[in-house]
């Protein structure tokens, strides 16, 4: 395989489409400084996947797109065409073309044989065959000077890149990254498992408890269903029995009701036939009662009238006696106008008599008050008594004293008036006469009332005698009717007794019917309660229960079992009904995490084994070829420094826990002493770097190599040694050299010239086979 051509359009200084056609062997590209010849090497690196603008001598990827003062393109495109007839590239094509485009607006496109691909696709194909980026098949301008001054580890990295060890290191790095991620995942999963385990263990206990609980609950359900059906059947049988008893008693009560109705009909007929006698009996009874009432009233009136007669007789006697007393008192008290001295002598005796008269009259009024029926007399007597008091008071004034007794009169004698005038005496005599007249009138009034009462008493006695005769006649008729009524009452009592007897029987049956109805209602209510309870507890229909469960054979035993199971349920205390479901979910999660943990652990083990295998392979690949590389380095070094000697020294280094090596170069350029590379001249450093690279290239084949001005620092003698080395190295390889050295141009099979036009565009010319091998479009 070899590079057949490179086509550029809009890449850096190659504005127009330009193409260089290469042949196997040595091709040299020449041109003045700034003509754009190094852009050819940059184009090769860019197509093969270079992503660093700095490596392309640019600040950004936009800088690879052609720009000038007068023109600016929007795209840069480079294509490499390889002859692949030997199937060096793992593609089933005789020719393979890699194309890359970049746009001013951003973004890149990659193609293989005009088919869009990813960058990684191109890198995978080229890296396996030793022509990809970072494999140093393309040595850019200035890069050769840096190689000699690299650190041992960086120099080892170049060897790894060229020998293909880096891809294994990349695999190892990816594996380590995966291992780190797997380790992190293992820790995370382990923490999750620990956390889930803390939840899982209590849930397992709760789940086991819940399962036992629901086991008892299912047994309770079975027992309650069986008990319910048995009780339902029992209550249904009781209902049928009570209903039959109810119907039987209902028929009996209808029978007794009919008999009672017949007895009432008979009683009504008998009462209807006796109603007239009863009516007459009642009339007679009312009349007799009226006569009895009248007779009682007459007797009362007679008694009252007799009492009045006695009262008036008594009062008349009393007034008569009082009249005589007053009359005698008045006659004893004499007032003579001419007998002043006699009055003075008898005045005390007269006053004592007046007081005695007043006291006597007062006693008479008290007797009248205690006498029944003397209300009218009492009023008149009290009025006359008041007049008598006025008389006594007036006489007291005459005497000039307030004494009410002889002693008081005697004591007050000294303070009395010496005489009584005629006017006062006359007034006193007039009052005494008036008192006598009043007493007389009272006595006459009593005698009048006594005669009236005697007359009324005679009338009442006559009327009472007549009433008793009439009552005797009515009683004879009443007794006859009473006899008939007693006979009726006897018959009625017989009927009522029979009715009562039947009523009691009817009432007893009604009580039994009420009891039956109450019993049926209790049965209905109990059926309703147990049905609602079983439906509410288990949310099942009665049809489902009767279809899927059977009745209990022993109700009492089932009740004991249900009670026992309910007690067991209570003993469980609080239950998490979702514990089993939650446990299953958490257990599934734990099992999943456990599987993940095992898988991750297995993955970790495999990754560790893989990393170990990669380390062994890397060590084997390096150690197996290092001796040959070291030998080649000594040979190439002596070819460039005939009197000198060069050797690669391995330095053991540990990087990120992995054992690795660094490569140090010990060189003697011919003065019999080892000198540090930093002390060498520019040309000497370039020759050391060339020897180092060629020693590696010699054991790792690549179809082409590009050297960009690696001979710039060499003098003529060293250039001749370099040219001899290149001619020997180019055998069987395609070498493209960009140079200013004429001696280097002389070994070229094909020479291309690059010039810079005034428009700022690079132009390709050819010294050999110009028309055939160079085209400008």
């Amino acid at each position: 395989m070899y590079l057949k051509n490179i086509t550029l359009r809009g890449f850096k200084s190659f504005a127009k489409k330009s193409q260089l056609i290469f042949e196997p062997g040595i091709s040299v590209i020449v041109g003045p400084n700034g003509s754009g010849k190094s852009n050819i090497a940059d184009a090769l690196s860019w197509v093969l996947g270079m992503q660093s603008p700095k490596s392309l001598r640019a600040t950004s990827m936009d800088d690879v797109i052609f720009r000038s003062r007068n023109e600016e393109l929007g795209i840069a495109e480079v294509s490499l065409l390889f002859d692949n007839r030997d199937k060096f590239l793992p593609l089933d094509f005789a020719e393979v073309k890699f194309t890359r485009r970049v746009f001013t607006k951003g973004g890149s496109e990659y193609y293989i044989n005009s088919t869009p691909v990813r960058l990684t696709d191109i890198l995978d194909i080229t890296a396996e065959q030793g022509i990809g980026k970072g494999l140093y098949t393309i040595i850019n301008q200035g890069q050769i000077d840096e190689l000699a001054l690299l650190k041992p580890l960086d120099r080892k990295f170049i060897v790894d890149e060229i020998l293909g060890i880096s891809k294994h290191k990349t695999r190892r790095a990816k594996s380590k990254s995966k291992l780190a991620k797997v380790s992190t995942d293992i820790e995370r999963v382990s923490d999750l498992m620990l956390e889930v385990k803390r939840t899982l263990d209590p849930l397992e206990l709760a789940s086991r408890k819940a399962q036992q609980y629901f086991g008892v609950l299912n047994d309770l359900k079975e027992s309650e269903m069986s008990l319910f059906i048995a009780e339902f059947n029992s209550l249904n049988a009781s209902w049928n029995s009570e209903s039959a008893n109810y119907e039987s008693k209902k028929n009996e009560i209808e029978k007794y009701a009919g008999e009672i109705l017949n007895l009432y009909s008979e009683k009504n007929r008998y009462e209807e036939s006796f109603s007239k006698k009863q009516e007459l009996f009642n009339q007679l009874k009312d009349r007799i009662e009226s006569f009895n009432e009248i007779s009682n009233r007459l007797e009362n009136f007679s008694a009252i009238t007799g009492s009045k007669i006695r009262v008036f007789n008594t009062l008349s006697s009393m007034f008569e006696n009082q009249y005589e007393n007053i009359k005698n008192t008045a006659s004893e008290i004499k007032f003579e106008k001419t007998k002043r001295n006699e009055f003075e002598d008898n005045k005390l005796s007269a006053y004592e008599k007046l007081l005695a008269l007043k006291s006597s009259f007062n006693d008479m009024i008290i007797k009248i008050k205690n006498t029944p029926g003397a209300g009218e007399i009492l009023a008149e007597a009290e009025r006359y008594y008041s007049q008598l008091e006025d008389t006594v008071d007036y006489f007291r004034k005459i005497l000039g004293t307030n004494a009410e007794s002889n002693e008081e009169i005697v004591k007050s004698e000294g303070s009395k008036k010496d005489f009584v005038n005629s006017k006062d005496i006359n007034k006193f005599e007039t009052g005494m006469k008036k008192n006598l007249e009043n007493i007389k009138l009272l006595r006459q009034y009593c005698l009048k009332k006594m005669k009236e009462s005697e007359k009324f008493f005679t009338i009442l006695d006559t009327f009472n005698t007549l009433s008793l005769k009439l009552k005797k006649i009515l009683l004879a008729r009443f007794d006859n009717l009473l006899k008939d009524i007693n006979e009726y009452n006897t018959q009625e009592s017989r009927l009522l007794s029979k009715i009562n007897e039947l009523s009691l029987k009817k009432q007893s049956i009604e009580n039994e019917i009420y009891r039956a109805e109450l019993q049926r209602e209790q049965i209905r209510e109990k059926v309703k309660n147990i049905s609602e309870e079983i439906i509410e507890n288990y949310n099942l229909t009665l049809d489902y229960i009767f279809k899927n469960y059977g009745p209990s054979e022993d109700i009492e035993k089932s009740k004991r079992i249900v009670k026992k199971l309910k007690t067991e349920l209570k003993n469980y205390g609080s239950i998490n009904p979702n514990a089993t479901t939650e446990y299953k979910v958490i257990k599934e999660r734990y099992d999943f995490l456990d599987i993940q943990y095992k898988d991750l652990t297995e993955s970790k083990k495999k990754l560790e084994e893989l990393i170990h295998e990669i380390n062994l392979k890397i060590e084997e690949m390096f150690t197996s070829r290092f001796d040959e590389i070291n030998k080649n380095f000594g040979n190439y070094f002596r070819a460039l420094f005939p009197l000198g000697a060069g050797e690669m020294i391995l330095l053991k280094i540990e990087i990120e826990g992995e054992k690795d090596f660094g490569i140090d170069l010990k060189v003697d350029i011919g003065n019999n002493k080892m000198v540090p590379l930093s002390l060498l001249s520019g040309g000497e450093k370039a020759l050391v770097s060339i020897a180092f690279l060629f020693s590696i290239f010699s054991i790792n084949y690549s179809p082409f190599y590009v050297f960009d001005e690696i001979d710039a620092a060499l003098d003529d003698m060293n250039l001749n040694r370099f040219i001899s080395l290149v001619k020997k190295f180019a055998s069987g390889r395609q070498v493209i050299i960009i140079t200013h050295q004429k001696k280097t141009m002389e070994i070229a099979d094909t020479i291309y010239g690059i010039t810079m036009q005034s428009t700022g565009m690079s132009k390709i010319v050819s010294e050999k086979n110009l028309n055939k091998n160079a085209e400008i479009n």
Side-chain angles (χ1 to χ4, degrees):
M1 190 193 88
Y2 67 95
L3 177 62
K4 291 185 71 174
N5 65 57
I6 178 172
T7 303
L8 306 94
R9 180 168 65 93
F11 184 82
K12 287 195 171 183
S13 60
F14 293 91
K16 294 182 179 181
K17 184 177 181 181
S18 303
Q19 188 179 70
L20 283 79
I21 299 175
F22 299 104
E23 294 291 339
I26 299 174
S27 298
V28 176
I29 301 173
V30 298
N33 289 332
S35 61
K37 58 184 180 297
S38 292
N39 291 339
I40 302 297
D42 292 341
L44 286 167
S45 298
W46 187 67
V47 174
L48 293 176
M50 179 57 68
Q51 298 296 312
S52 171
K54 184 178 180 181
S55 298
L56 300 174
R57 299 178 297 131
T59 56
S60 67
M61 203 55 72
D62 290 343
D63 292 340
V64 303
I65 302 173
F66 172 79
R67 288 183 179 88
S68 69
R69 293 181 180 179
N70 301 322
E71 187 177 1
E72 181 177 346
L73 299 181
I75 184 174
E77 179 180 330
V78 177
S79 296
L80 302 180
L81 181 64
F82 292 94
D83 186 317
N84 192 41
R85 285 176 294 182
D86 59 355
K87 304 302 180 186
F88 183 80
L89 296 175
L91 296 173
D92 195 18
F93 296 100
E95 292 182 341
V96 177
K97 182 171 72 172
F98 297 117
T99 302
R100 182 177 180 180
R101 292 174 187 165
V102 66
F103 302 92
T104 304
K105 63 183 180 181
S108 296
E109 294 178 353
Y110 300 89
Y111 298 88
I112 298 177
N113 289 349
S114 301
T115 301
V117 295
R118 300 170 300 168
L119 172 61
T120 54
D121 297 328
I122 294 177
L123 294 177
D124 290 342
I125 293 172
T126 57
E128 289 291 335
Q129 306 309 321
I131 60 174
K133 70 164 187 168
L135 297 179
Y136 289 88
T137 56
I138 302 171
I139 301 177
N140 294 313
Q141 185 177 1
Q143 193 174 10
I144 196 68
D145 297 331
E146 298 174 357
L147 291 175
L149 301 177
L150 291 176
K151 295 178 180 179
L153 189 61
D154 295 332
R155 199 175 286 120
K156 170 66 165 50
F157 178 75
I158 293 174
V159 174
D160 291 341
E161 284 284 343
I162 295 173
L163 294 180
I165 295 175
S166 292
K167 64 182 181 182
H168 296 295
K169 285 189 173 181
T170 302
R171 285 180 58 206
R172 184 179 66 184
K174 290 181 179 179
S175 298
K176 283 185 175 181
S177 177
K178 290 181 180 179
L179 180 61
K181 185 177 183 303
V182 167
S183 299
T184 302
D185 290 342
I186 288 175
E187 290 179 2
R188 185 171 60 84
V189 170
S190 179
D191 292 341
L192 287 174
M193 289 179 67
L194 183 62
E195 182 180 349
V196 171
K197 184 70 173 173
R198 284 198 294 266
T199 305
L200 185 65
D201 291 343
L203 272 178
E204 184 178 5
L205 296 175
S207 174
R208 193 177 300 122
K209 183 179 179 182
Q211 289 175 356
Q212 294 173 354
Y213 175 85
F214 285 115
V216 174
L217 187 63
N218 288 332
D219 293 341
L220 176 62
K221 180 180 179 181
E222 292 284 343
S223 299
E224 281 195 322
M225 292 299 177
S226 300
L227 177 60
F228 165 72
I229 295 174
E231 287 183 336
F232 189 91
N233 293 339
S234 175
L235 290 171
N236 194 31
S238 298
W239 172 271
N240 294 333
S241 175
E242 292 296 335
S243 296
N245 184 38
Y246 176 82
E247 294 298 328
S248 174
K249 296 301 180 181
K250 194 173 180 182
N251 293 332
E252 287 186 27
I253 203 168
E254 288 178 356
K255 173 185 173 184
Y256 285 123
E259 292 181 0
I260 291 172
L261 185 61
N262 292 333
L263 289 173
Y264 271 114
S265 299
E266 182 180 354
K267 179 175 174 293
N268 290 336
R269 288 194 301 270
Y270 189 77
E271 285 179 349
E272 188 177 350
S273 64
F274 196 75
S275 61
K276 293 181 179 180
K277 290 183 179 181
Q278 182 69 38
E279 184 178 357
L280 181 58
F281 176 79
N282 291 335
Q283 291 176 356
L284 291 175
K285 183 178 179 182
D286 291 340
R287 288 181 180 180
I288 291 172
E289 289 178 353
S290 297
F291 278 117
N292 288 335
E293 184 179 356
I294 291 171
S295 178
N296 290 333
R297 287 181 179 179
L298 290 175
E299 290 178 356
N300 290 334
F301 286 154
S302 297
I304 291 170
T305 304
S307 176
K308 283 184 175 184
I309 293 171
R310 288 191 295 274
V311 167
F312 286 124
N313 187 30
T314 302
L315 290 175
S316 176
S317 299
M318 289 173 59
F319 285 129
E320 184 177 1
N321 293 331
Q322 192 65 26
Y323 178 81
E324 291 298 328
N325 289 335
I326 293 174
K327 184 179 178 181
N328 294 331
T329 301
S331 61
E332 290 176 358
I333 301 173
K334 300 293 185 179
F335 295 105
E336 295 293 342
K337 297 177 182 179
T338 57
K339 296 181 178 180
R340 177 183 180 100
N341 295 328
E342 184 179 352
F343 175 77
E344 292 294 334
D345 295 334
N346 297 322
K347 60 182 180 179
L348 292 176
S349 177
Y351 185 65
E352 288 177 356
K353 291 180 180 181
L354 281 175
L355 289 177
L357 179 63
K358 176 183 175 183
S359 176
S360 175
F361 203 89
N362 186 48
D363 292 340
M364 182 187 68
I365 289 175
I366 290 172
K367 290 180 181 180
I368 293 172
K369 286 180 179 180
N370 293 329
T371 302
E376 296 178 0
I377 303 300
L378 177 61
E380 291 294 326
E382 288 179 343
R383 185 169 59 85
Y384 297 154
Y385 179 75
S386 177
Q387 293 177 359
L388 179 60
E389 281 186 329
D390 292 339
T391 303
V392 174
D393 290 339
Y394 188 75
F395 191 76
R396 186 184 296 117
K397 289 179 182 180
I398 295 173
L399 295 177
T401 182
N402 291 323
E404 293 290 337
S405 63
N406 291 335
E407 291 79 4
E408 290 177 350
I409 293 171
V410 172
K411 289 177 181 180
S412 61
E413 183 65 27
S415 60
K416 300 295 182 290
K417 295 179 181 181
D418 296 332
F419 63 91
V420 179
N421 57 42
S422 300
K423 183 179 179 180
D424 291 334
I425 293 173
N426 291 333
K427 188 175 182 179
F428 176 75
E429 289 179 350
T430 301
M432 289 298 293
K433 291 179 179 179
K434 189 175 182 180
N435 286 332
L436 288 173
E437 185 65 26
N438 289 336
I439 293 299
K440 186 177 181 180
L441 290 174
L442 285 173
R443 182 173 177 276
Q444 291 175 355
Y445 177 79
C446 288
L447 291 174
K448 178 182 177 183
K449 289 293 183 181
M450 185 179 67
K451 290 180 180 180
E452 290 176 355
S453 297
E454 288 176 351
K455 182 178 181 181
F456 183 68
F457 181 81
T458 303
I459 295 170
L460 287 175
D461 185 62
T462 304
F463 187 77
N464 189 30
T465 302
L466 180 61
S467 176
L468 290 173
K469 291 181 179 179
L470 290 173
K471 180 180 178 181
K472 187 175 181 181
I473 296 170
L474 292 174
L475 282 174
R477 296 182 63 188
F478 179 80
D479 291 339
N480 294 329
L481 289 173
L482 182 61
K483 192 179 294 183
D484 295 339
I485 286 172
N486 289 334
E487 183 180 353
Y488 163 76
N489 288 336
T490 301
Q491 185 64 18
E492 185 180 38
S493 297
R494 183 186 65 80
L495 292 174
L496 291 175
S497 176
K498 186 66 174 177
I499 290 172
N500 288 336
E501 181 182 354
L502 293 176
S503 296
L504 289 174
K505 290 182 179 180
K506 179 173 174 289
Q507 184 177 2
S508 176
I509 295 172
E510 285 176 346
N511 291 337
E512 291 183 11
I513 289 176
Y514 174 76
R515 186 199 61 79
E517 287 180 343
L518 182 61
Q519 191 69 22
R520 290 204 307 171
E521 185 62 29
Q522 291 175 349
I523 293 171
R524 185 187 294 110
E525 189 66 24
K526 191 169 184 180
V527 169
K528 179 183 177 182
N529 290 338
I530 63 174
S531 299
E532 289 179 350
E533 182 180 2
I534 206 73
I535 291 172
E536 181 179 355
N537 288 343
Y538 297 103
N539 197 23
L540 298 174
T541 62
L542 293 178
D543 291 339
Y544 180 86
I545 293 172
F546 283 104
K547 285 181 181 178
N548 293 276
Y549 296 93
S552 171
E553 296 180 358
D554 188 342
I555 293 179
E556 295 302 322
K557 182 179 179 181
S558 294
K559 286 182 177 179
R560 289 194 297 272
I561 292 173
V562 167
K563 184 178 180 181
K564 178 183 177 184
L565 292 175
K566 286 184 176 180
T567 303
E568 288 184 22
L569 288 180
K570 289 182 180 179
N571 292 335
Y572 276 102
S574 61
I575 294 293
N576 181 3
N578 300 321
T580 302
T581 303
E582 292 174 359
Y583 173 74
K584 288 181 180 179
V585 173
I586 300 299
K587 186 66 168 62
E588 288 177 1
R589 177 168 173 75
Y590 182 82
D591 293 341
F592 172 77
L593 291 173
D594 187 51
I595 293 172
Q596 294 294 313
Y597 181 81
K598 291 178 180 177
D599 290 344
L600 289 170
T601 304
E602 185 65 24
S603 297
K604 181 180 179 181
K605 182 179 178 183
K606 289 180 179 179
L607 285 170
E608 289 173 345
E609 292 175 353
L610 177 61
I611 292 170
H612 180 68
E613 291 175 2
I614 292 174
N615 288 334
L616 293 176
K617 188 170 184 178
I618 289 172
E619 185 177 358
E620 181 185 357
M621 287 180 68
F622 180 77
T623 56
S624 66
R625 294 191 179 188
F626 177 75
D627 291 338
E628 186 177 356
I629 293 172
N630 194 14
K631 181 179 178 182
N632 290 338
F633 177 71
N635 293 333
Y636 283 119
F637 191 85
R638 282 190 297 271
L640 296 174
F641 298 97
L643 300 178
E647 182 184 6
M648 293 183 181
I649 305 298
L650 288 180
L651 303 175
K652 292 184 179 181
I653 299 174
E654 186 171 338
I655 302 174
E656 297 179 358
E658 296 290 344
K659 293 181 179 180
D660 206 342
F661 299 98
I663 298 177
D664 194 12
L665 298 179
K666 300 295 183 181
V667 298
D668 177 7
I669 62 175
N671 51 10
N672 293 322
K673 65 176 181 179
M674 298 290 182
V675 295
L677 296 179
S678 60
L679 299 178
L680 298 178
S681 66
E684 290 171 340
K685 292 177 182 177
L687 291 176
V688 172
S689 297
I690 291 170
F692 175 72
L693 288 175
F694 277 34
S695 66
I696 304 171
F697 291 156
S698 63
I699 66 169
N700 190 70
Y701 174 78
S702 179
F704 73 94
Y705 296 91
V706 179
F707 303 136
D708 184 7
E709 298 185 16
I710 66 173
D711 57 353
L714 302 179
D715 56 19
D716 290 342
M717 183 178 63
N718 287 329
L719 181 60
N720 289 332
R721 292 172 183 170
F722 168 71
I723 290 172
S724 298
L725 184 62
V726 170
K727 288 173 67 176
K728 184 179 178 180
F729 178 77
S731 176
R733 297 179 175 90
Q734 184 183 27
V735 179
I736 302 171
I737 302 175
I738 300 171
T739 184
H740 291 289
Q741 302 286 355
K742 293 180 180 181
K743 288 185 178 181
T744 304
M745 299 178 195
E746 293 174 356
I747 67 171
D749 297 317
T750 305
I751 297 177
Y752 291 96
I754 307 296
T755 64
M756 177 63 69
Q757 298 177 334
S758 60
T759 57
M761 300 181 187
S762 296
K763 182 179 180 181
I764 300 173
V765 295
S766 177
E767 192 172 294
K768 288 185 179 180
N769 299 323
L770 182 61
N771 295 328
K772 181 179 179 181
N773 296 331
E775 296 180 3
I776 299 175
N777 297 324

